[in-house]
């Protein structure tokens, strides 16, 4: 069995094109300054929505994890400004959702994904943490693809993955389609909106990035995407298990250097938000750090 898994992993692992990078010592300070680069009012609040779940065990998501069940939340985030909004990640339709069930039936709420689509339509700008289907499909496979694409930032590396080695065929795009998006290239970090800075973090995928957000009240958030699937990946400096790393084709050295940096960032009081940590997101909602539903313009109901 382990033999088969290893062969499969070797056959399907996609080489990581980005290189492992140690972040400069002063990166957080520079990101904080860059958050002021784009003038305008800071966001007031941040909301999330869980539109699907995957059911795993801790053993499958963190090195040395137990066989206790782990609920992975599939999520999208809405950064709310006084006069607009920015979306982080884009949800996915049910066809893409089924890919992640490995043949099992896992929870999916189509009406919640409809809310993600409505929030994307209402947003001024859309960014995605990375090029996996559960984060990006909503801007690739949507009845409103053209209008969403025109305000959706993809990085050159994300586009390279989507055009040459998409995670599943359904999210592949052509070079021609890629031109519909706001395709950017940057080395380390890039401010994109008042209070919002992208931070390059290749490792989970070649085009993975994190999103720093400072809200008007002063609270700082870092949306770490899938650098860790749960906060304990960071706080205990534990990667995903070796089989999972191989299956995804991750760069473990890059991920470990990101986990180290993130642990220091958390010690500075920045709120870390992993995309999939269901229990943590519920806790943040209970504490009032994040709203647990998206705010939508009246849909005429
Ligand atoms: Zn993910």
């Amino acid at each position: 069995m382990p033999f088969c898994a290893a062969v499969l992993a070797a056959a399907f692992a996609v080489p990581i094109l980005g290189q492992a990078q140690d972040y400069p010592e002063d990166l957080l300070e520079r990101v904080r300054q860059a958050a002021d680069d784009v003038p305008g009012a800071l966001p007031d609040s941040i909301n999330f929505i869980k539109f699907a779940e995957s059911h795993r065990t801790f053993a499958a998501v963190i090195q040395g994890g137990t066989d206790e069940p782990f609920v992975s939340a599939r999520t999208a985030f809405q950064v709310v400004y006084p006069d607009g909004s920015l979306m982080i990640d884009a949800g996915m339709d049910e066809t893409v959702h089924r890919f992640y069930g490995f043949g099992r039936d896992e929870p999916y709420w189509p009406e919640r994904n409809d809310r993600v689509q409505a929030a994307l339509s209402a947003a001024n700008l859309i960014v995605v943490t990375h090029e996996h289907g559960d984060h990006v499909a909503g801007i690739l496979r949507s009845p409103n693809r053209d209008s969403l694409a025109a305000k959706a930032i993809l990085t050159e590396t994300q586009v390279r993955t989507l055009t040459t080695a998409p995670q599943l065929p359904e999210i592949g795009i052509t070079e021609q389609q890629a031109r519909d998006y706001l395709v950017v290239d940057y080395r380390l970090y890039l401010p994109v909106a008042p209070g919002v800075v992208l931070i390059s973090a290749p490792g989970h995928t070649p085009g993975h990035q994190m999103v720093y957000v400072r809200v008007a009240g002063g609270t700082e958030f870092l949306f770490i995407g899938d650098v860790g699937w749960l906060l304990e990946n960071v706080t205990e400096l534990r990667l995903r298990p070796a089989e999972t790393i191989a299956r995804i084709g991750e760069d473990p050295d890059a991920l470990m250097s990101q986990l180290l940096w993130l642990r220091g960032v958390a010690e500075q009081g920045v709120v870390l938000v992993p995309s999939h940590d269901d229990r943590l997101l519920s806790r943040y909602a209970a504490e009032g750090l994040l709203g647990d539903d998206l705010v939508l313009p009246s849909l005429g109901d």
Side-chain angles (χ1 to χ4, degrees), residues 112-301:
R112 295 194 199 171
N113 196 61
D114 290 346
R115 292 181 71 74
V116 176
Q117 281 289 311
L120 293 168
S121 289
N124 302 78
L125 196 62
I126 302 162
V127 300
V128 295
T129 55
H130 62 291
E131 59 273 47
H132 279 164
D134 54 324
H135 300 260
V136 73
I139 55 169
L140 306 174
R141 296 162 52 84
S142 163
N144 300 318
R145 191 198 74 94
D146 289 353
S147 62
L148 299 184
K151 57 185 177 182
I153 293 179
L154 292 174
T155 70
E156 287 283 2
T157 314
Q158 290 170 347
V159 166
R160 195 179 312 136
T161 303
L162 294 170
T163 53
T164 65
Q167 186 186 28
L168 58 159
E170 287 81 357
I171 63 166
I173 61 171
T174 65
E175 284 292 339
Q176 195 61 35
Q177 288 169 326
R179 298 176 65 163
D180 299 333
Y181 296 84
L182 304 171
V183 182
V184 303
D185 201 10
Y186 69 96
R187 190 60 66 88
L188 192 53
Y189 59 94
L190 180 73
V192 293
V196 180
V197 182
L198 307 178
I199 302 170
S200 174
H204 175 64
T205 64
H208 192 284
Q209 58 189 351
M210 300 187 279
V211 186
Y212 169 93
V213 182
R214 187 172 74 241
V215 298
T219 307
E220 299 170 288
F221 295 87
L222 189 58
F223 294 84
I224 72 167
D226 286 18
V227 172
W229 282 337
L230 60 169
L231 190 62
E232 284 74 12
N233 292 112
V234 177
T235 54
E236 298 170 14
L237 296 179
R238 287 153 74 190
L239 293 166
R240 279 176 278 273
E243 309 80 61
T244 306
I245 289 173
R247 174 174 60 79
I248 300 172
E250 294 181 321
D251 177 343
D253 295 337
L255 286 167
M256 184 49 78
S257 76
Q258 289 157 17
L259 292 176
L260 274 164
W261 183 74
L262 286 170
R263 194 169 68 163
V265 166
E267 285 164 5
Q268 299 275 314
V270 178
V271 178
L272 302 188
V273 188
S275 291
H276 297 295
D277 191 335
D278 192 57
R279 287 189 311 192
L280 180 69
L281 290 169
S282 298
R283 199 185 89 203
Y284 285 166
E287 292 171 353
L289 281 167
L290 298 174
D292 64 359
D293 195 8
L294 306 178
V295 175
L296 299 179
S298 167
L299 296 173
D301 52 5

